[in-house]
């Protein structure tokens, strides 16, 4: 989850603004988690399957055109 849409329960401000100590701690923790993940970590499984289907379809279309 990205922190740009989270609202702090302590100060009711967006977490990415870091207005209070709770916001700043949450923002730092989320940024630290984001650094250790790969490029597809933000995608849910349904999006990964859809991406795979599109890729296979594009490869099939390319193979059909070269024949």
């Amino acid at each position: 989850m990205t922190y740009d849409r989270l609202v702090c329960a302590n100060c009711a401000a967006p977490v990415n603004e870091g207005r209070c100590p709770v916001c700043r701690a949450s923002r730092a923790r989320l940024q630290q988690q984001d650094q250790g993940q790969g490029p597809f970590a933000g995608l849910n499984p349904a999006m990964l399957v859809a991406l795979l289907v599109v890729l296979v379809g594009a490869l099939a279309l390319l193979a059909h055109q070269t024949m």
Side-chain angles (χ1 to χ4, degrees):
M1 174 181 273
T2 60
Y3 60 91
D4 57 338
R5 295 185 182 194
L6 293 178
V7 176
C8 178
N10 190 43
C11 68
V15 171
N16 63 349
E17 292 179 7
R19 292 184 184 177
C20 72
V22 175
C23 293
R24 289 188 289 273
S26 295
R27 183 176 61 181
R29 182 178 49 84
L30 288 169
Q31 285 176 343
Q32 186 178 29
Q33 287 177 352
D34 287 342
Q35 290 175 355
Q37 298 178 353
F40 298 110
L43 296 176
N44 61 15
M47 288 297 292
L48 287 174
V49 169
L51 183 62
L52 182 62
V53 167
V54 169
L55 181 61
V56 168
L59 287 174
L61 182 63
L62 182 63
H64 185 311
Q65 287 180 353
T66 57
M67 289 183 168

